[in-house]
Coordinates of all heavy atoms in Angstrom, one line a residue:
M1 N 0.9 -1.2 0.0 CA 0.0 0.0 0.0 C 0.9 1.2 0.0 O 1.7 1.4 0.9 CB -0.9 0.0 1.2 CG -2.0 1.0 1.2 SD -3.2 0.6 -0.1 CE -4.3 2.0 0.0
H2 N 0.7 2.1 -1.0 CA 1.5 3.2 -1.1 C 0.9 4.5 -0.4 O -0.3 4.5 -0.3 CB 1.8 3.6 -2.6 CG 2.7 2.6 -3.3 ND1 4.0 2.5 -2.9 CD2 2.5 1.7 -4.2 CE1 4.6 1.5 -3.6 NE2 3.6 1.0 -4.4
R3 N 1.8 5.4 -0.1 CA 1.3 6.6 0.5 C 1.9 7.8 -0.2 O 3.1 7.7 -0.7 CB 1.7 6.6 2.0 CG 1.0 5.6 2.8 CD 1.4 5.8 4.2 NE 1.4 7.3 4.4 CZ 1.2 8.0 5.5 NH1 1.1 7.4 6.5 NH2 1.2 9.3 5.5
A4 N 1.2 8.9 -0.2 CA 1.7 10.1 -0.9 C 1.3 11.3 0.0 O 0.4 12.0 -0.3 CB 1.2 10.2 -2.3
P5 N 2.1 11.5 1.1 CA 1.7 12.5 2.0 C 1.9 13.9 1.4 O 2.8 14.1 0.6 CB 2.7 12.3 3.2 CG 3.8 11.5 2.7 CD 3.2 10.7 1.6
L6 N 1.0 14.8 1.7 CA 1.0 16.1 1.2 C 1.7 17.0 2.2 O 1.5 17.0 3.4 CB -0.4 16.6 1.0 CG -0.6 18.0 0.4 CD1 -0.6 17.8 -1.1 CD2 -2.0 18.6 0.8
T7 N 2.7 17.8 1.7 CA 3.4 18.7 2.6 C 3.4 20.1 2.0 O 3.3 20.3 0.8 CB 4.9 18.3 2.8 OG1 5.4 17.9 1.5 CG2 5.0 17.0 3.7
S8 N 3.5 21.1 2.9 CA 3.5 22.5 2.5 C 5.0 23.0 2.6 O 5.7 22.5 3.4 CB 2.6 23.4 3.3 OG 1.3 23.0 3.1
H9 N 5.3 23.9 1.7 CA 6.7 24.4 1.7 C 6.8 25.9 1.5 O 5.9 26.5 1.0 CB 7.4 23.7 0.5 CG 7.6 22.2 0.6 ND1 8.7 21.7 1.1 CD2 6.7 21.2 0.4 CE1 8.6 20.4 1.2 NE2 7.4 20.1 0.7
H10 N 7.9 26.4 2.1 CA 8.2 27.8 1.9 C 8.8 28.0 0.5 O 9.2 27.1 -0.1 CB 9.1 28.3 3.0 CG 8.6 28.1 4.4 ND1 9.4 27.5 5.4 CD2 7.4 28.2 4.9 CE1 8.7 27.4 6.5 NE2 7.4 27.8 6.2
A11 N 9.0 29.3 0.2 CA 9.6 29.6 -1.1 C 11.0 29.1 -1.3 O 11.5 28.8 -2.3 CB 9.5 31.1 -1.4
D12 N 11.7 28.9 -0.1 CA 13.1 28.5 -0.1 C 13.2 26.9 -0.1 O 14.2 26.4 0.2 CB 13.9 29.1 1.0 CG 13.4 28.7 2.4 OD1 12.4 27.9 2.4 OD2 14.0 29.1 3.4
N13 N 12.1 26.3 -0.3 CA 12.0 24.8 -0.4 C 12.0 24.1 1.0 O 11.9 22.9 1.1 CB 13.1 24.2 -1.2 CG 13.0 24.5 -2.7 OD1 11.9 24.8 -3.2 ND2 14.1 24.6 -3.4
S14 N 12.1 24.9 2.1 CA 12.0 24.3 3.4 C 10.5 23.9 3.7 O 9.6 24.6 3.2 CB 12.6 25.2 4.5 OG 11.9 26.4 4.5
T15 N 10.4 22.9 4.5 CA 9.0 22.5 4.9 C 8.3 23.5 5.7 O 8.9 24.1 6.7 CB 9.0 21.1 5.6 OG1 9.9 20.3 4.9 CG2 7.7 20.5 5.6
C16 N 7.0 23.8 5.4 CA 6.2 24.6 6.3 C 5.4 23.6 7.1 O 4.4 23.1 6.6 CB 5.3 25.5 5.5 SG 4.4 26.7 6.5
P17 N 5.8 23.4 8.4 CA 5.1 22.3 9.2 C 3.7 22.8 9.6 O 3.3 23.9 9.5 CB 6.0 22.2 10.4 CG 6.7 23.5 10.5 CD 6.8 24.1 9.1
P18 N 2.9 21.8 9.9 CA 1.5 22.1 10.3 C 1.4 23.0 11.5 O 0.3 23.7 11.7 CB 0.9 20.7 10.7 CG 1.8 19.7 10.1 CD 3.2 20.3 10.0
E19 N 2.5 23.2 12.3 CA 2.5 24.1 13.4 C 2.4 25.5 12.9 O 2.0 26.4 13.7 CB 3.7 23.9 14.3 CG 3.9 22.5 14.8 CD 4.9 21.7 14.0 OE1 6.1 21.9 14.0 OE2 4.3 20.9 13.1
H20 N 2.8 25.8 11.7 CA 2.8 27.1 11.2 C 1.3 27.4 10.8 O 0.8 26.9 9.9 CB 3.7 27.3 9.9 CG 5.1 27.3 10.3 ND1 6.1 27.6 9.3 CD2 5.8 27.1 11.4 CE1 7.3 27.6 9.9 NE2 7.1 27.3 11.2
K21 N 0.8 28.3 11.6 CA -0.6 28.7 11.3 C -0.7 29.8 10.3 O 0.2 30.7 10.2 CB -1.3 29.1 12.7 CG -1.3 28.0 13.7 CD -2.1 26.8 13.3 CE -2.0 25.7 14.3 NZ -2.3 24.4 13.8
H22 N -1.8 29.8 9.6 CA -2.1 30.8 8.6 C -3.5 31.3 8.7 O -4.4 30.6 9.1 CB -1.8 30.3 7.2 CG -0.4 29.7 7.0 ND1 0.0 28.5 7.5 CD2 0.7 30.3 6.4 CE1 1.2 28.3 7.2 NE2 1.7 29.4 6.5
T23 N -3.7 32.5 8.2 CA -5.1 33.0 8.2 C -5.8 32.3 7.0 O -5.1 31.6 6.2 CB -5.1 34.5 7.9 OG1 -4.5 34.8 6.6 CG2 -4.3 35.3 9.0
T24 N -7.1 32.5 6.9 CA -7.8 31.8 5.9 C -7.4 32.3 4.5 O -7.5 31.6 3.5 CB -9.3 32.0 6.0 OG1 -9.5 33.4 6.4 CG2 -9.9 31.1 7.1
S25 N -6.8 33.5 4.5 CA -6.4 34.1 3.2 C -4.9 33.6 2.9 O -4.3 34.0 1.9 CB -6.5 35.6 3.2 OG -5.8 36.2 4.2
G26 N -4.3 32.8 3.8 CA -3.0 32.3 3.6 C -1.8 33.1 4.2 O -0.7 32.8 3.9
K27 N -2.1 34.2 4.9 CA -1.1 35.0 5.5 C -0.5 34.2 6.7 O -1.2 33.7 7.6 CB -1.6 36.3 5.9 CG -1.9 37.3 4.8 CD -1.9 38.7 5.3 CE -1.9 39.7 4.1 NZ -3.2 39.5 3.3
P28 N 0.9 34.2 6.8 CA 1.5 33.4 8.0 C 1.2 34.2 9.3 O 1.3 35.4 9.4 CB 2.9 33.4 7.6 CG 3.2 34.5 6.7 CD 1.9 34.7 5.9
L29 N 0.9 33.4 10.3 CA 0.7 33.9 11.7 C 1.9 33.5 12.6 O 2.0 34.1 13.7 CB -0.6 33.4 12.3 CG -1.9 33.8 11.6 CD1 -3.0 33.0 12.1 CD2 -2.1 35.3 11.8
T30 N 2.8 32.6 12.1 CA 3.9 32.2 12.9 C 5.1 33.0 12.6 O 5.4 33.3 11.4 CB 4.2 30.7 12.7 OG1 3.0 29.9 12.8 CG2 5.3 30.2 13.6
Q31 N 5.8 33.5 13.7 CA 7.0 34.3 13.5 C 8.1 33.5 12.8 O 8.3 32.3 13.1 CB 7.5 34.8 14.8 CG 8.4 36.0 14.6 CD 8.7 36.7 15.9 OE1 8.4 36.2 17.0 NE2 9.1 38.0 15.9
G32 N 8.7 34.1 11.8 CA 9.7 33.4 11.0 C 9.2 32.6 9.8 O 10.0 32.1 9.0
C33 N 7.9 32.5 9.7 CA 7.3 31.8 8.6 C 7.1 32.7 7.4 O 6.3 33.7 7.6 CB 6.0 31.1 9.0 SG 5.2 30.2 7.6
P34 N 7.7 32.5 6.3 CA 7.5 33.4 5.2 C 6.2 33.2 4.4 O 5.9 33.9 3.5 CB 8.8 33.1 4.3 CG 9.1 31.7 4.6 CD 8.7 31.5 6.0
G35 N 5.5 32.2 4.8 CA 4.3 31.8 4.2 C 4.4 30.6 3.3 O 5.5 30.3 2.8
R36 N 3.3 30.0 3.0 CA 3.4 28.8 2.1 C 3.5 29.2 0.7 O 2.7 30.0 0.2 CB 2.1 28.0 2.3 CG 2.1 27.2 3.6 CD 0.8 26.3 3.6 NE -0.4 27.1 3.8 CZ -1.3 27.0 4.7 NH1 -1.2 26.0 5.5 NH2 -2.3 27.8 4.8
A37 N 4.5 28.6 0.0 CA 4.7 29.0 -1.4 C 4.0 27.9 -2.3 O 3.5 28.2 -3.3 CB 6.2 29.1 -1.7
Y38 N 4.1 26.7 -1.9 CA 3.6 25.6 -2.7 C 3.3 24.4 -1.8 O 3.9 24.2 -0.8 CB 4.5 25.3 -3.9 CG 5.9 24.7 -3.5 CD1 6.1 23.4 -3.3 CD2 6.9 25.6 -3.3 CE1 7.3 22.9 -3.0 CE2 8.2 25.2 -3.0 CZ 8.4 23.8 -2.8 OH 9.6 23.3 -2.4
A39 N 2.5 23.5 -2.4 CA 2.3 22.2 -1.7 C 3.0 21.1 -2.6 O 3.1 21.3 -3.8 CB 0.8 21.9 -1.6
Q40 N 3.4 20.1 -1.9 CA 4.1 19.0 -2.6 C 3.7 17.7 -2.1 O 3.4 17.5 -0.9 CB 5.6 19.1 -2.4 CG 6.5 18.1 -3.2 CD 8.0 18.4 -3.1 OE1 8.4 18.7 -2.0 NE2 8.7 18.2 -4.1
A41 N 3.6 16.7 -3.0 CA 3.2 15.4 -2.6 C 4.2 14.4 -3.3 O 4.5 14.6 -4.5 CB 1.8 15.0 -2.9
R42 N 4.6 13.4 -2.7 CA 5.5 12.4 -3.3 C 5.0 11.0 -2.9 O 4.8 10.7 -1.7 CB 6.9 12.6 -2.8 CG 8.0 11.8 -3.5 CD 9.4 12.1 -3.0 NE 9.7 13.5 -3.3 CZ 10.8 14.1 -2.8 NH1 11.5 13.5 -2.0 NH2 11.0 15.4 -3.1
C43 N 4.9 10.2 -3.9 CA 4.4 8.8 -3.6 C 5.5 7.9 -3.1 O 6.6 8.0 -3.6 CB 3.7 8.3 -4.8 SG 2.9 6.7 -4.5
S44 N 5.2 7.0 -2.2 CA 6.2 6.1 -1.7 C 6.6 5.1 -2.8 O 7.6 4.4 -2.6 CB 5.6 5.4 -0.5 OG 4.4 4.7 -0.8
C45 N 5.9 5.0 -3.9 CA 6.3 4.1 -5.0 C 7.5 4.7 -5.7 O 8.2 4.0 -6.4 CB 5.2 3.9 -6.0 SG 4.8 5.3 -7.1
G46 N 7.8 6.0 -5.5 CA 9.0 6.6 -6.1 C 8.8 7.0 -7.6 O 9.7 7.6 -8.2
N47 N 7.7 6.7 -8.1 CA 7.5 7.1 -9.6 C 6.6 8.3 -9.8 O 6.4 8.7 -10.9 CB 6.7 5.9 -10.3 CG 7.6 4.7 -10.4 OD1 8.8 4.8 -10.6 ND2 7.0 3.5 -10.2
W48 N 6.2 8.9 -8.7 CA 5.4 10.1 -8.9 C 5.6 11.1 -7.8 O 5.8 10.8 -6.6 CB 3.9 9.6 -8.8 CG 2.9 10.7 -9.0 CD1 2.4 11.2 -10.1 CD2 2.3 11.5 -7.9 NE1 1.5 12.2 -9.9 CE2 1.5 12.4 -8.6 CE3 2.5 11.6 -6.6 CZ2 0.7 13.4 -7.9 CZ3 1.8 12.5 -5.8 CH2 0.9 13.4 -6.5
Q49 N 5.7 12.4 -8.2 CA 5.6 13.5 -7.3 C 5.2 14.7 -8.0 O 5.3 14.8 -9.3 CB 7.0 13.7 -6.7 CG 8.1 14.2 -7.7 CD 9.3 14.7 -6.9 OE1 9.2 15.5 -6.1 NE2 10.5 14.1 -7.3
M50 N 4.6 15.6 -7.3 CA 4.2 16.9 -8.0 C 4.2 18.0 -6.9 O 4.1 17.8 -5.7 CB 2.9 16.7 -8.6 CG 1.7 16.9 -7.7 SD 0.1 17.1 -8.6 CE 0.4 18.8 -9.3
K51 N 4.4 19.2 -7.4 CA 4.2 20.4 -6.6 C 3.5 21.4 -7.3 O 3.7 21.6 -8.5 CB 5.6 20.8 -6.0 CG 6.6 21.3 -7.0 CD 7.8 21.8 -6.2 CE 8.8 22.4 -7.2 NZ 10.0 22.9 -6.4
D52 N 2.7 22.2 -6.6 CA 1.9 23.2 -7.2 C 1.5 24.2 -6.2 O 1.4 23.8 -5.0 CB 0.7 22.6 -7.9 CG 0.0 23.5 -8.9 OD1 0.4 23.6 -10.0 OD2 -0.9 24.3 -8.4
A53 N 1.2 25.4 -6.6 CA 0.8 26.4 -5.6 C -0.6 26.1 -5.0 O -0.9 26.5 -3.9 CB 0.8 27.8 -6.3
G54 N -1.3 25.4 -5.8 CA -2.7 25.0 -5.4 C -2.7 23.8 -4.6 O -2.5 22.7 -5.1
K55 N -2.9 23.9 -3.3 CA -2.9 22.7 -2.4 C -4.0 21.7 -2.8 O -3.8 20.5 -2.8 CB -3.1 23.2 -1.0 CG -2.8 22.1 0.1 CD -2.9 22.7 1.5 CE -2.6 21.6 2.5 NZ -2.5 22.1 3.9
G56 N -5.2 22.3 -3.1 CA -6.3 21.4 -3.5 C -6.0 20.6 -4.8 O -6.4 19.5 -4.9
Y57 N -5.3 21.3 -5.7 CA -5.0 20.6 -6.9 C -4.0 19.5 -6.7 O -4.1 18.4 -7.2 CB -4.4 21.6 -7.9 CG -3.9 21.1 -9.2 CD1 -4.8 20.4 -10.0 CD2 -2.6 21.3 -9.7 CE1 -4.4 19.9 -11.2 CE2 -2.2 20.8 -10.9 CZ -3.1 20.1 -11.7 OH -2.6 19.6 -12.9
V58 N -3.0 19.7 -5.8 CA -2.0 18.7 -5.5 C -2.7 17.5 -4.8 O -2.5 16.3 -5.1 CB -0.9 19.2 -4.6 CG1 0.1 18.1 -4.2 CG2 -0.1 20.3 -5.3
N59 N -3.6 17.8 -3.9 CA -4.3 16.8 -3.2 C -5.2 16.0 -4.1 O -5.2 14.7 -4.0 CB -5.2 17.5 -2.1 CG -5.6 16.6 -1.0 OD1 -4.9 15.6 -0.7 ND2 -6.7 16.8 -0.4
E60 N -5.8 16.6 -5.1 CA -6.7 15.9 -6.0 C -5.8 15.0 -6.9 O -6.1 13.8 -7.1 CB -7.4 16.9 -6.9 CG -8.5 16.3 -7.7 CD -9.1 17.3 -8.7 OE1 -9.5 18.4 -8.2 OE2 -9.1 17.0 -9.9
S61 N -4.7 15.5 -7.4 CA -3.8 14.7 -8.2 C -3.2 13.5 -7.4 O -3.0 12.4 -8.0 CB -2.6 15.5 -8.8 OG -3.1 16.7 -9.4
R62 N -2.9 13.8 -6.2 CA -2.4 12.7 -5.3 C -3.4 11.6 -5.1 O -3.0 10.4 -5.3 CB -2.1 13.4 -3.9 CG -1.6 12.6 -2.8 CD -1.4 13.5 -1.6 NE -2.7 13.8 -1.0 CZ -3.2 13.0 0.1 NH1 -2.4 12.1 0.5 NH2 -4.3 13.3 0.6
R63 N -4.6 11.9 -4.9 CA -5.6 10.9 -4.8 C -5.8 10.1 -6.1 O -5.9 8.9 -6.0 CB -7.0 11.5 -4.4 CG -7.1 11.9 -3.0 CD -8.2 12.9 -2.8 NE -8.3 13.5 -1.5 CZ -9.2 13.1 -0.6 NH1 -10.1 12.2 -0.9 NH2 -9.2 13.6 0.6
R64 N -5.7 10.8 -7.2 CA -5.9 10.2 -8.5 C -4.7 9.2 -8.7 O -4.9 8.1 -9.2 CB -5.9 11.2 -9.6 CG -6.6 10.7 -10.8 CD -6.7 11.8 -11.9 NE -7.5 12.9 -11.4 CZ -7.3 14.2 -11.8 NH1 -6.3 14.5 -12.6 NH2 -8.0 15.2 -11.3
H65 N -3.5 9.6 -8.4 CA -2.4 8.8 -8.5 C -2.5 7.5 -7.7 O -2.2 6.4 -8.1 CB -1.1 9.5 -8.2 CG 0.1 8.6 -8.2 ND1 0.7 8.0 -9.4 CD2 0.8 8.0 -7.2 CE1 1.6 7.2 -9.0 NE2 1.7 7.2 -7.7
L66 N -2.8 7.7 -6.4 CA -2.9 6.6 -5.5 C -4.0 5.6 -5.9 O -3.8 4.4 -5.8 CB -3.3 7.1 -4.1 CG -2.1 7.8 -3.3 CD1 -2.6 8.4 -2.0 CD2 -1.0 6.8 -3.0
A67 N -5.0 6.1 -6.5 CA -6.1 5.2 -7.1 C -5.6 4.4 -8.2 O -6.2 3.4 -8.6 CB -7.3 6.1 -7.4
S68 N -4.6 4.9 -8.9 CA -4.1 4.2 -10.1 C -3.2 3.0 -9.7 O -2.9 2.1 -10.6 CB -3.2 5.1 -11.0 OG -2.0 5.4 -10.4
H69 N -2.9 2.9 -8.4 CA -2.1 1.7 -8.0 C -3.1 0.5 -7.9 O -4.1 0.7 -7.2 CB -1.4 2.0 -6.7 CG -0.2 2.8 -6.8 ND1 0.9 2.3 -7.4 CD2 0.2 4.0 -6.3 CE1 1.9 3.2 -7.4 NE2 1.4 4.3 -6.7
P70 N -2.7 -0.6 -8.4 CA -3.6 -1.8 -8.3 C -3.7 -2.1 -6.8 O -2.7 -2.1 -6.1 CB -2.9 -2.8 -9.1 CG -1.5 -2.4 -9.3 CD -1.5 -0.9 -9.2
K71 N -4.9 -2.5 -6.4 CA -5.1 -2.8 -5.0 C -4.5 -4.2 -4.8 O -4.7 -5.1 -5.6 CB -6.6 -2.8 -4.7 CG -7.1 -1.4 -4.6 CD -8.5 -1.3 -4.0 CE -9.0 0.1 -3.9 NZ -9.1 0.8 -5.2
P72 N -3.8 -4.4 -3.6 CA -3.3 -5.7 -3.3 C -4.3 -6.7 -2.8 O -4.4 -7.0 -1.7 CB -2.2 -5.4 -2.3 CG -2.7 -4.2 -1.6 CD -3.6 -3.5 -2.6
T73 N -5.1 -7.2 -3.7 CA -6.2 -8.2 -3.3 C -5.7 -9.6 -3.8 O -5.1 -9.7 -4.9 CB -7.5 -7.8 -4.0 OG1 -7.3 -7.5 -5.3 CG2 -8.2 -6.7 -3.3
P74 N -6.0 -10.6 -3.0 CA -5.7 -12.0 -3.4 C -6.5 -12.4 -4.7 O -7.6 -11.9 -4.9 CB -6.1 -12.8 -2.2 CG -7.0 -12.0 -1.5 CD -6.7 -10.5 -1.7
P75 N -5.9 -13.2 -5.5 CA -6.7 -13.6 -6.7 C -8.0 -14.3 -6.4 O -8.0 -15.1 -5.4 CB -5.7 -14.6 -7.4 CG -4.7 -15.0 -6.4 CD -4.6 -13.9 -5.4
E76 N -9.0 -14.1 -7.2 CA -10.3 -14.7 -6.9 C -10.2 -16.2 -7.2 O -9.4 -16.6 -8.1 CB -11.3 -14.1 -7.9 CG -11.7 -12.7 -7.5 CD -12.7 -12.1 -8.4 OE1 -13.6 -12.8 -8.8 OE2 -12.5 -10.9 -8.8
P77 N -10.9 -17.0 -6.4 CA -10.9 -18.5 -6.6 C -11.2 -18.9 -8.0 O -10.6 -19.8 -8.6 CB -12.0 -18.9 -5.6 CG -12.1 -17.9 -4.6 CD -11.7 -16.6 -5.3
R78 N -12.1 -18.1 -8.7 CA -12.6 -18.5 -10.0 C -11.4 -18.4 -11.0 O -11.1 -19.2 -11.8 CB -13.7 -17.6 -10.5 CG -14.3 -17.9 -11.8 CD -15.5 -17.0 -12.1 NE -15.1 -15.6 -12.0 CZ -14.5 -14.9 -13.0 NH1 -14.2 -15.5 -14.1 NH2 -14.2 -13.7 -12.8
L79 N -10.6 -17.2 -10.9 CA -9.5 -17.0 -11.7 C -8.4 -18.1 -11.5 O -7.8 -18.6 -12.4 CB -8.9 -15.6 -11.5 CG -9.7 -14.5 -12.0 CD1 -9.1 -13.1 -11.6 CD2 -9.7 -14.5 -13.6
L80 N -8.2 -18.4 -10.2 CA -7.2 -19.4 -9.9 C -7.6 -20.8 -10.5 O -6.7 -21.5 -11.1 CB -7.2 -19.6 -8.3 CG -5.9 -20.0 -7.7 CD1 -4.8 -19.1 -8.0 CD2 -6.1 -20.3 -6.2
G81 N -8.9 -21.1 -10.5 CA -9.4 -22.3 -11.1 C -9.1 -22.3 -12.6 O -8.6 -23.3 -13.2
D82 N -9.3 -21.2 -13.3 CA -9.0 -21.1 -14.7 C -7.5 -21.3 -15.0 O -7.2 -22.0 -15.9 CB -9.4 -19.7 -15.2 CG -10.9 -19.5 -15.3 OD1 -11.6 -20.6 -15.2 OD2 -11.4 -18.4 -15.5
L83 N -6.7 -20.8 -14.1 CA -5.2 -20.9 -14.3 C -4.8 -22.4 -14.2 O -4.0 -22.9 -15.0 CB -4.5 -20.1 -13.3 CG -4.4 -18.6 -13.6 CD1 -3.8 -17.8 -12.4 CD2 -3.6 -18.3 -14.9
L84 N -5.4 -23.1 -13.2 CA -5.1 -24.5 -13.0 C -5.5 -25.3 -14.2 O -4.9 -26.2 -14.6 CB -5.8 -25.0 -11.7 CG -5.2 -24.4 -10.4 CD1 -6.0 -24.8 -9.2 CD2 -3.7 -24.9 -10.2
R85 N -6.7 -24.9 -14.7 CA -7.2 -25.7 -15.8 C -6.3 -25.6 -17.1 O -6.1 -26.5 -17.8 CB -8.6 -25.2 -16.2 CG -9.5 -26.3 -16.7 CD -11.0 -25.8 -16.8 NE -11.5 -25.3 -15.5 CZ -12.3 -24.2 -15.5 NH1 -12.6 -23.5 -16.5 NH2 -12.7 -23.8 -14.3
L86 N -5.7 -24.3 -17.2 CA -4.8 -24.1 -18.3 C -3.5 -25.0 -18.2 O -2.9 -25.4 -19.2 CB -4.4 -22.6 -18.4 CG -5.4 -21.7 -19.0 CD1 -5.0 -20.2 -18.8 CD2 -5.7 -22.0 -20.5
D87 N -3.1 -25.2 -16.9 CA -1.9 -26.0 -16.7 C -2.1 -27.5 -17.0 O -1.2 -28.2 -17.4 CB -1.5 -25.8 -15.3 CG -0.8 -24.5 -15.1 OD1 -0.4 -23.9 -16.1 OD2 -0.6 -24.0 -13.9
T88 N -3.3 -28.0 -16.9 CA -3.6 -29.4 -17.1 C -3.9 -29.7 -18.5 O -4.8 -29.0 -19.1 CB -4.7 -29.9 -16.2 OG1 -5.6 -28.8 -15.9 CG2 -4.2 -30.5 -14.9
P89 N -3.3 -30.6 -19.2 CA -3.5 -30.9 -20.6 C -4.8 -31.6 -20.9 O -5.3 -32.2 -20.0 CB -2.4 -31.8 -21.0 CG -1.7 -32.2 -19.7 CD -2.2 -31.4 -18.6
Ligands
LIG101 ZN1 5.8 28.1 7.5
LIG102 ZN1 2.7 5.8 -6.6

């Protein structure tokens, strides 16, 4: 099961941790915080990452990517039966 956590970043690429509070309009309330410049998400599969100023957009793309990973479900008994039948002459 892969994960693609969403993180916020400052303009200098450092992480803007959740402790950094912002107003609803995005103005930083924490001293020393220059404000969020972009949001970034990186999938644990290593094949996908993205960053964009729009946090909602990154979040949506992140979900879409995660949904593209095949779910680790065990093969259905019916399919298994078909495979066994193929093996027997
Ligand atoms: Zn910050
Ligand atoms: Zn992935």
Side-chain angles (χ1 to χ4, degrees):
M1 193 65 184
H2 289 293
R3 291 186 41 151
L6 186 83
T7 46
S8 293
H9 294 263
H10 304 134
D12 64 359
N13 294 332
S14 58
T15 313
C16 187
E19 304 93 82
H20 286 188
K21 301 296 178 201
H22 303 78
T23 64
T24 43
S25 56
K27 287 202 171 63
L29 293 168
T30 307
Q31 200 166 17
C33 178
R36 285 184 290 231
Y38 63 90
Q40 186 176 38
R42 187 176 298 167
C43 185
S44 56
C45 73
N47 292 324
W48 180 89
Q49 66 166 307
M50 82 166 290
K51 61 177 186 178
D52 194 88
K55 193 175 181 176
Y57 178 54
V58 176
N59 201 25
E60 194 188 304
S61 308
R62 178 178 79 94
R63 284 160 184 257
R64 202 175 303 148
H65 171 76
L66 285 173
S68 75
H69 281 297
K71 288 192 177 62
T73 45
E76 288 177 42
R78 187 176 53 81
L79 287 173
L80 206 63
D82 286 348
L83 285 172
L84 288 173
R85 215 171 302 140
L86 282 173
D87 284 343
T88 28

